[in-house]
Amino acid sequence: MSGDFRLAQISDSHVRADDDGAAAQRLQRAVRQAERYRADAIVITGDLVNNERADEYRVLADTIRDVATPIYLMPGNHDDYAHLRSAFPDHKYLPSEGAISYAIDSYPVRIV
């Protein structure tokens, strides 16, 4: 990593499964923009989905599946922890039970 560190934050994506992909497309555009800015990591903060439904988390997972930049998810008050964990089993930083809070110490800044 160079002397610079770029952390992108995308907030309140409110991904839905019933809007013909409009929210997912907005999120994809934001992620692509962060990658164009050469973000070293992207943090997507809640509300990740709109209605706390499992199908919305699947749409979210599909939307960010092929992003090369590391993505960290931080749920908001409209997020269901069980559905989030189920849709993102490969996001090992997510605690396996209880409230979802964590810290990432892999960068020049601590992500909490």
Side-chain angles (χ1 to χ4, degrees):
M1 187 175 306
S2 70
D4 290 336
F5 176 75
R6 293 185 178 116
L7 178 64
Q9 179 189 5
I10 301 169
S11 184
D12 293 284
S13 55
H14 285 275
V15 169
R16 300 173 62 126
D18 61 357
D19 68 349
D20 294 323
Q25 289 172 1
R26 285 190 298 271
L27 177 59
Q28 282 179 326
R29 281 194 305 272
V31 167
R32 283 194 301 269
Q33 186 74 34
E35 289 189 306
R36 278 195 297 277
Y37 287 140
R38 296 187 319 266
D40 295 297
I42 300 170
V43 178
I44 304 177
T45 57
D47 298 320
L48 303 173
V49 303
N50 199 60
N51 294 306
E52 303 179 48
R53 297 184 344 218
D55 59 340
E56 293 177 329
Y57 289 95
R58 287 191 297 274
V59 171
L60 176 62
D62 289 344
T63 301
I64 64 173
R65 173 169 287 119
D66 296 324
V67 176
T69 303
I71 291 182
Y72 301 97
L73 302 171
M74 294 188 173
N77 63 323
H78 282 255
D79 286 302
D80 180 280
Y81 297 164
H83 292 324
L84 177 62
R85 288 180 177 107
S86 178
F88 293 93
D90 56 328
H91 285 234
K92 301 298 183 196
Y93 61 89
L94 293 172
S96 60
E97 58 186 33
I100 295 185
S101 59
Y102 59 87
I104 304 294
D105 291 314
S106 306
Y107 302 105
V109 298
R110 187 172 202 222
I111 300 171
V112 179

